[in-house]
Amino acid sequence: MYLTKEEENILNGEKGPVLERMMRLLSRLGDIYGADKMIPVGSVQVAGVSYKSIGDPGTEFLEDLASKGARVKVLTFLNPAGMDLEDWDIVGFPADFAGEQLRIMNAFKTMGIIVTSTCTPYLAGNLPRFREHIAWSESSAVSFANSVLSARTNREGGPSALAAALLGKTPNYGLHVDENRAPHFVIDVSARLEKDSDFGALGWHIGKVVKDKIPYYRGLPEWTTTDNLKALGAAMAASGAVALYYAEGLTPEAHLQKTENIEKISVTEKEIEETYDALNSGEPPDIVILGCPHASLKDIQHIASLLEGKALKKPLWVCTSRVMKEAANRMGYTETIEKAGGRIVADTCMVVSPIEAMGYKVTGCNSGKAAQYLPGFCKQKVVFKDTESLVKEVL
Ligand code: F3S
């Protein structure tokens, strides 16, 4: 990979050991994947934030970087942490876990990273421009940025995203290069999609089939919302490794794609029903957790309307970013949800928080991504249904 004089100087240690290490990491990555050069990035989103995921070695690594003067060069956000960073004790997160999580957040803050922990940075103040190069980690956010916003990002690992934040650059390969963004499959959807969870079910099924390739959807309903698209992308990135998709009439660059000679896959009601069967344990949930990817204000408004004047028999959480929670507070949605016995839990989610240590065994969710990860990451049995049905399960 070609390096400018300035980049070579960094690699030779002239800007200190931290940047030298970061440049070494990115130049190796660039060489492995055949990048021609480094390109500037407009923003970064770093994964590997929860103490549950990175443990003591990760915490010490971040504290070491911060103490050595590492400071980010571009707007940098974080993935969900392992707990609500303000109300962790009220929600019931263990105190020893909270102590470690707060150490991690302090290290990020020292590095100049915005401690807005969310998988929907685009709803919380980090919105890339059309075709802007960025370096994001969280797979559902990567999918949304590439597909719905038409920005350009690979699915970064935690360390490579951090390196991009500290250098303000990333190697030019993969989905940064336009030739690598052509679709591999046309997905003809004739199944009737009616409920919010149908998009997660569709995404989960297609992710399994196409793996890391690029699907082009036809036949998604005209009323499809951005929330539906975020659920679709998240599920494909979890059951497969889809980082970019197109949806005819819905995503900005779909009409520019050539689809004549590529393989077609059809999706009928049968595949959607089979997905619900595959993801459901059939047991009653101990808890319902919505907001994967993190709930938008519209999602929260909808949940509040379902809980208005009701009393829940079991816990219900709505996971979201701090920014959305503040707006929900102002609108009275938080109060409505709390009066019914539910909670808006900010900064974290059902997968990266220690719900198994809090005694939960069966979790209800409306997300194909959460349904994929809850059994492995949190030892949960899953109830995968739409929002209305899940609310009924705990009333
Ligand atoms: Fe976000 Fe957690 Fe789902 S990171 S996409 S809410 S598994």
Side-chain angles (χ1 to χ4, degrees), residues 38-101:
M38 299 280 279
I39 47 171
V41 290
S43 75
V44 172
Q45 192 249 4
V46 175
V49 178
S50 170
Y51 179 67
K52 178 174 162 179
S53 325
I54 66 171
D56 293 329
T59 309
E60 282 152 22
F61 169 74
L62 293 169
E63 285 180 335
D64 182 52
L65 278 184
S67 72
K68 287 183 173 140
R71 299 293 179 268
V72 297
K73 289 212 168 52
V74 293
L75 181 72
T76 303
F77 273 37
L78 293 172
N79 222 24
M83 62 181 196
D84 189 307
L85 295 169
E86 290 179 16
D87 294 338
W88 57 267
D89 48 345
I90 303 171
V91 185
F93 290 103
D96 49 349
F97 182 91
E100 300 304 325
Q101 185 64 64

Coordinates of all heavy atoms in Angstrom, one line a residue, residues 38-101:
M38 N -4.2 5.0 1.9 CA -5.0 5.4 3.0 C -6.0 6.5 2.5 O -5.6 7.3 1.7 CB -4.2 5.9 4.2 CG -3.2 4.9 4.7 SD -4.0 3.7 5.8 CE -4.0 4.6 7.3
I39 N -7.2 6.5 3.1 CA -8.1 7.6 2.8 C -8.7 8.2 4.1 O -8.8 7.5 5.1 CB -9.3 7.1 1.9 CG1 -9.9 5.8 2.5 CG2 -8.9 6.9 0.5 CD1 -11.2 5.3 1.8
P40 N -9.0 9.5 4.0 CA -9.5 10.1 5.3 C -10.9 9.6 5.6 O -11.7 9.3 4.6 CB -9.5 11.6 4.9 CG -9.2 11.7 3.5 CD -8.8 10.4 2.9
V41 N -11.3 9.5 6.8 CA -12.7 9.1 7.2 C -13.3 10.3 7.9 O -12.7 11.1 8.6 CB -12.7 7.9 8.1 CG1 -12.3 6.6 7.3 CG2 -11.8 8.0 9.4
G42 N -14.7 10.4 7.7 CA -15.4 11.5 8.3 C -15.8 11.2 9.7 O -16.0 12.1 10.5
S43 N -16.0 9.9 10.1 CA -16.3 9.6 11.4 C -16.0 8.1 11.7 O -15.8 7.4 10.8 CB -17.8 9.9 11.7 OG -18.6 8.9 11.2
V44 N -16.0 7.8 13.0 CA -15.7 6.4 13.4 C -16.7 6.0 14.4 O -17.3 6.8 15.2 CB -14.2 6.4 14.0 CG1 -14.0 5.0 14.6 CG2 -13.2 6.7 12.9
Q45 N -17.0 4.7 14.5 CA -17.8 4.1 15.5 C -17.1 2.9 16.0 O -16.7 2.0 15.2 CB -19.2 3.8 15.0 CG -20.2 3.5 16.1 CD -20.6 2.0 16.1 OE1 -20.1 1.2 15.3 NE2 -21.5 1.7 17.0
V46 N -16.8 2.8 17.3 CA -15.9 1.8 17.9 C -16.8 0.7 18.6 O -17.6 1.1 19.5 CB -14.9 2.4 18.9 CG1 -14.1 1.4 19.6 CG2 -14.0 3.4 18.1
A47 N -16.5 -0.5 18.3 CA -17.2 -1.6 19.1 C -16.2 -2.2 20.1 O -15.0 -1.8 20.1 CB -17.6 -2.7 18.1
G48 N -16.7 -3.1 20.9 CA -15.8 -3.6 22.0 C -15.9 -2.6 23.2 O -14.8 -2.1 23.6
V49 N -17.1 -2.3 23.7 CA -17.2 -1.3 24.7 C -17.7 -1.9 26.0 O -17.3 -1.5 27.1 CB -18.3 -0.2 24.2 CG1 -18.5 0.8 25.3 CG2 -17.8 0.4 22.9
S50 N -18.5 -3.0 25.9 CA -19.0 -3.6 27.1 C -17.9 -4.4 27.9 O -17.1 -5.1 27.3 CB -20.1 -4.6 26.8 OG -20.5 -5.3 27.9
Y51 N -17.9 -4.2 29.2 CA -17.0 -5.0 30.0 C -17.2 -6.5 29.8 O -16.3 -7.3 29.9 CB -17.1 -4.6 31.5 CG -16.2 -5.4 32.4 CD1 -14.8 -5.2 32.3 CD2 -16.7 -6.3 33.3 CE1 -14.0 -5.9 33.1 CE2 -15.9 -7.0 34.1 CZ -14.5 -6.8 34.1 OH -13.6 -7.6 34.9
K52 N -18.5 -6.8 29.6 CA -18.8 -8.3 29.3 C -18.0 -8.8 28.1 O -17.7 -9.9 28.0 CB -20.3 -8.4 29.1 CG -20.8 -9.8 28.8 CD -22.3 -9.8 28.7 CE -22.8 -11.0 28.0 NZ -24.3 -11.1 28.0
S53 N -17.8 -7.9 27.1 CA -17.2 -8.4 25.8 C -15.6 -8.3 26.0 O -14.9 -9.2 25.5 CB -17.6 -7.6 24.6 OG -18.9 -7.2 24.7
I54 N -15.1 -7.2 26.6 CA -13.6 -7.0 26.5 C -12.9 -7.4 27.8 O -11.7 -7.6 27.8 CB -13.3 -5.6 26.1 CG1 -13.7 -4.5 27.1 CG2 -13.9 -5.3 24.7 CD1 -13.1 -3.1 26.8
G55 N -13.6 -7.5 28.9 CA -13.0 -7.9 30.2 C -11.9 -7.1 30.6 O -11.7 -6.0 30.2
D56 N -11.0 -7.7 31.5 CA -9.9 -6.9 32.1 C -8.8 -6.6 31.1 O -8.3 -5.5 31.0 CB -9.3 -7.7 33.3 CG -10.2 -7.8 34.4 OD1 -11.0 -6.8 34.6 OD2 -10.2 -8.8 35.2
P57 N -8.5 -7.6 30.1 CA -7.4 -7.2 29.2 C -7.8 -6.0 28.3 O -7.0 -5.1 28.1 CB -7.3 -8.5 28.3 CG -7.9 -9.6 29.1 CD -8.9 -9.0 30.0
G58 N -9.0 -6.0 27.9 CA -9.5 -4.8 27.0 C -9.5 -3.5 27.8 O -9.1 -2.5 27.3
T59 N -9.9 -3.6 29.1 CA -10.0 -2.4 29.9 C -8.6 -1.9 30.1 O -8.3 -0.6 29.9 CB -10.6 -2.7 31.3 OG1 -11.8 -3.4 31.1 CG2 -10.9 -1.5 32.1
E60 N -7.6 -2.8 30.4 CA -6.3 -2.3 30.6 C -5.6 -1.7 29.4 O -4.9 -0.7 29.4 CB -5.4 -3.5 31.2 CG -5.7 -3.6 32.7 CD -5.5 -5.1 33.2 OE1 -4.7 -5.8 32.5 OE2 -6.1 -5.4 34.2
F61 N -5.9 -2.4 28.2 CA -5.4 -1.9 27.0 C -5.9 -0.4 26.7 O -5.1 0.4 26.3 CB -5.9 -2.8 25.8 CG -5.7 -2.3 24.4 CD1 -4.4 -2.3 23.9 CD2 -6.7 -1.9 23.7 CE1 -4.2 -1.8 22.6 CE2 -6.5 -1.4 22.4 CZ -5.3 -1.4 21.8
L62 N -7.2 -0.2 26.9 CA -7.7 1.2 26.7 C -7.2 2.2 27.7 O -6.8 3.3 27.3 CB -9.3 1.1 26.8 CG -10.0 0.3 25.7 CD1 -11.4 0.1 26.0 CD2 -9.8 1.0 24.3
E63 N -7.0 1.8 28.9 CA -6.5 2.7 29.9 C -5.0 3.1 29.6 O -4.6 4.2 29.7 CB -6.6 2.1 31.3 CG -8.0 2.2 31.8 CD -8.2 1.6 33.2 OE1 -7.4 0.7 33.6 OE2 -9.2 2.0 33.9
D64 N -4.3 2.1 29.1 CA -2.9 2.3 28.7 C -2.8 3.3 27.6 O -2.0 4.2 27.6 CB -2.3 0.9 28.3 CG -0.8 1.0 28.0 OD1 -0.1 1.6 28.8 OD2 -0.4 0.6 26.9
L65 N -3.7 3.1 26.5 CA -3.7 4.0 25.4 C -4.0 5.4 25.9 O -3.3 6.4 25.5 CB -4.8 3.6 24.4 CG -4.4 2.5 23.4 CD1 -5.6 2.3 22.4 CD2 -3.2 2.8 22.6
A66 N -5.0 5.5 26.7 CA -5.4 6.9 27.2 C -4.3 7.6 28.0 O -4.0 8.7 27.8 CB -6.7 6.8 28.0
S67 N -3.6 6.8 28.8 CA -2.6 7.4 29.6 C -1.4 7.8 28.8 O -0.6 8.6 29.2 CB -2.2 6.4 30.7 OG -1.4 5.3 30.2
K68 N -1.2 7.1 27.6 CA -0.1 7.5 26.8 C -0.4 8.6 25.8 O 0.3 8.9 24.9 CB 0.4 6.3 26.0 CG 1.1 5.3 26.8 CD 1.6 4.1 26.0 CE 2.4 3.2 26.9 NZ 2.2 1.8 26.6
G69 N -1.6 9.3 26.0 CA -1.9 10.5 25.2 C -2.6 10.2 23.9 O -2.7 11.1 23.1
A70 N -3.2 9.0 23.7 CA -4.0 8.8 22.5 C -5.2 9.7 22.5 O -5.9 9.7 23.4 CB -4.4 7.3 22.5
R71 N -5.4 10.4 21.4 CA -6.5 11.3 21.2 C -7.1 11.2 19.8 O -6.3 11.2 18.8 CB -6.1 12.8 21.4 CG -5.5 13.1 22.8 CD -6.6 12.9 23.9 NE -6.0 13.2 25.3 CZ -5.5 12.3 26.1 NH1 -5.5 11.0 25.7 NH2 -5.0 12.6 27.2
V72 N -8.4 11.1 19.7 CA -9.0 10.8 18.3 C -8.9 12.1 17.5 O -9.0 13.2 18.0 CB -10.4 10.3 18.4 CG1 -10.5 9.0 19.1 CG2 -11.4 11.3 19.1
K73 N -8.9 11.9 16.1 CA -8.8 13.0 15.2 C -10.2 13.4 14.6 O -10.3 14.4 14.0 CB -7.8 12.7 14.1 CG -6.4 12.6 14.6 CD -5.5 13.1 13.4 CE -4.0 13.3 13.9 NZ -3.5 12.3 14.7
V74 N -11.1 12.4 14.6 CA -12.4 12.6 14.0 C -13.6 12.3 15.0 O -13.3 11.6 16.0 CB -12.6 11.8 12.7 CG1 -11.6 12.2 11.6 CG2 -12.4 10.3 13.0
L75 N -14.8 12.7 14.6 CA -15.9 12.4 15.5 C -16.0 10.9 15.7 O -16.2 10.1 14.7 CB -17.2 12.9 14.8 CG -18.5 12.7 15.5 CD1 -18.6 13.6 16.7 CD2 -19.7 12.9 14.6
T76 N -16.0 10.5 16.9 CA -16.0 9.0 17.2 C -17.0 8.7 18.3 O -17.0 9.3 19.3 CB -14.6 8.6 17.7 OG1 -13.6 9.0 16.7 CG2 -14.5 7.1 17.9
F77 N -17.9 7.8 17.9 CA -18.9 7.3 18.8 C -18.6 5.9 19.2 O -17.8 5.2 18.7 CB -20.3 7.3 18.1 CG -21.0 8.6 18.1 CD1 -20.4 9.8 18.1 CD2 -22.4 8.7 18.2 CE1 -21.0 11.0 18.1 CE2 -23.1 9.9 18.3 CZ -22.4 11.1 18.2
L78 N -19.4 5.4 20.2 CA -19.2 4.0 20.7 C -20.4 3.2 20.5 O -21.6 3.6 20.5 CB -18.9 4.1 22.2 CG -17.6 4.8 22.7 CD1 -17.6 5.0 24.2 CD2 -16.4 4.0 22.2
N79 N -20.2 1.9 20.5 CA -21.2 0.9 20.5 C -21.8 0.8 21.9 O -21.3 1.3 22.9 CB -20.6 -0.5 20.1 CG -21.4 -1.2 19.2 OD1 -22.3 -0.7 18.5 ND2 -21.3 -2.6 19.1
P80 N -23.0 0.1 22.1 CA -23.5 0.0 23.4 C -22.6 -0.6 24.5 O -21.7 -1.4 24.2 CB -24.7 -1.0 23.2 CG -25.1 -0.7 21.8 CD -23.8 -0.5 21.1
A81 N -22.7 0.0 25.7 CA -21.9 -0.5 26.8 C -22.7 -1.6 27.5 O -23.7 -2.0 27.0 CB -21.7 0.7 27.8
G82 N -22.1 -2.1 28.6 CA -22.8 -3.2 29.2 C -23.9 -2.9 30.2 O -24.5 -3.8 30.8
M83 N -24.2 -1.6 30.3 CA -25.2 -1.2 31.3 C -25.7 0.2 31.0 O -25.1 0.9 30.2 CB -24.7 -1.2 32.7 CG -23.6 -0.2 32.9 SD -22.9 -0.2 34.5 CE -22.0 1.3 34.5
D84 N -26.8 0.6 31.6 CA -27.3 2.0 31.5 C -26.3 2.8 32.3 O -26.0 2.5 33.5 CB -28.7 2.1 32.1 CG -29.3 3.5 31.9 OD1 -28.7 4.5 32.3 OD2 -30.5 3.5 31.5
L85 N -25.6 3.8 31.7 CA -24.5 4.4 32.3 C -25.0 5.4 33.4 O -24.1 5.8 34.3 CB -23.7 5.2 31.3 CG -23.0 4.3 30.3 CD1 -22.4 5.1 29.1 CD2 -21.9 3.4 30.9
E86 N -26.2 5.7 33.5 CA -26.7 6.6 34.6 C -27.6 5.9 35.6 O -27.4 6.1 36.8 CB -27.5 7.8 34.0 CG -26.5 8.7 33.2 CD -27.2 9.9 32.6 OE1 -28.3 10.2 32.9 OE2 -26.5 10.5 31.7
D87 N -28.5 5.0 35.1 CA -29.5 4.4 36.0 C -29.1 2.9 36.3 O -30.0 2.1 36.5 CB -30.9 4.5 35.4 CG -31.4 5.9 35.4 OD1 -30.8 6.7 36.1 OD2 -32.3 6.2 34.6
W88 N -27.8 2.5 36.2 CA -27.5 1.1 36.3 C -27.9 0.5 37.6 O -28.4 -0.7 37.6 CB -26.0 0.9 36.1 CG -25.1 1.7 37.0 CD1 -24.5 2.9 36.8 CD2 -24.7 1.3 38.3 NE1 -23.8 3.3 37.9 CE2 -23.9 2.3 38.8 CE3 -24.9 0.1 39.1 CZ2 -23.3 2.2 40.1 CZ3 -24.3 0.0 40.3 CH2 -23.5 1.1 40.8
D89 N -27.9 1.2 38.7 CA -28.3 0.6 40.0 C -29.8 0.5 40.0 O -30.3 -0.6 40.5 CB -27.8 1.5 41.1 CG -28.1 3.0 41.0 OD1 -28.4 3.4 39.8 OD2 -28.0 3.7 42.0
I90 N -30.6 1.4 39.5 CA -32.0 1.3 39.5 C -32.5 0.1 38.6 O -33.4 -0.7 39.0 CB -32.7 2.6 38.9 CG1 -32.3 3.8 39.7 CG2 -34.2 2.5 39.0 CD1 -32.7 5.1 39.2
V91 N -31.8 -0.1 37.5 CA -32.2 -1.2 36.6 C -31.8 -2.5 37.2 O -32.4 -3.6 36.9 CB -31.6 -1.0 35.2 CG1 -32.1 -2.1 34.2 CG2 -31.9 0.3 34.6
G92 N -30.7 -2.5 38.1 CA -30.3 -3.7 38.7 C -29.1 -4.4 38.2 O -28.8 -5.6 38.4
F93 N -28.2 -3.6 37.5 CA -26.9 -4.1 37.1 C -26.0 -4.3 38.3 O -26.0 -3.4 39.1 CB -26.3 -3.2 36.0 CG -27.0 -3.2 34.7 CD1 -27.9 -2.1 34.3 CD2 -26.9 -4.3 33.8 CE1 -28.6 -2.1 33.1 CE2 -27.6 -4.3 32.6 CZ -28.4 -3.2 32.3
P94 N -25.2 -5.3 38.3 CA -24.4 -5.6 39.5 C -23.3 -4.5 39.7 O -22.7 -4.0 38.7 CB -23.7 -6.9 39.1 CG -24.5 -7.5 38.0 CD -25.1 -6.4 37.3
A95 N -23.1 -4.1 40.9 CA -22.2 -3.0 41.2 C -20.7 -3.2 40.8 O -20.1 -2.3 40.3 CB -22.2 -2.6 42.7
D96 N -20.2 -4.4 40.9 CA -18.8 -4.7 40.6 C -18.7 -4.6 39.0 O -17.7 -4.0 38.5 CB -18.3 -6.1 41.1 CG -19.3 -7.2 40.8 OD1 -20.4 -6.9 40.3 OD2 -18.9 -8.4 40.9
F97 N -19.7 -5.0 38.3 CA -19.7 -4.9 36.8 C -19.7 -3.4 36.5 O -18.9 -3.0 35.6 CB -20.9 -5.6 36.3 CG -21.0 -5.6 34.8 CD1 -20.5 -6.6 34.0 CD2 -21.6 -4.5 34.1 CE1 -20.5 -6.5 32.6 CE2 -21.7 -4.4 32.7 CZ -21.2 -5.5 32.0
A98 N -20.5 -2.6 37.2 CA -20.6 -1.2 36.9 C -19.3 -0.5 37.1 O -18.9 0.4 36.3 CB -21.7 -0.6 37.8
G99 N -18.6 -0.8 38.1 CA -17.3 -0.2 38.4 C -16.3 -0.4 37.2 O -15.7 0.6 36.8
E100 N -16.3 -1.6 36.7 CA -15.4 -1.9 35.6 C -15.8 -1.2 34.3 O -15.0 -0.6 33.6 CB -15.3 -3.4 35.3 CG -14.8 -4.2 36.5 CD -13.4 -3.8 37.0 OE1 -12.6 -3.4 36.2 OE2 -13.2 -3.8 38.2
Q101 N -17.2 -1.2 34.1 CA -17.7 -0.5 32.9 C -17.4 1.0 32.9 O -17.0 1.6 31.9 CB -19.2 -0.7 32.8 CG -19.8 -0.2 31.6 CD -19.3 -0.9 30.3 OE1 -19.6 -2.1 30.1 NE2 -18.6 -0.1 29.4

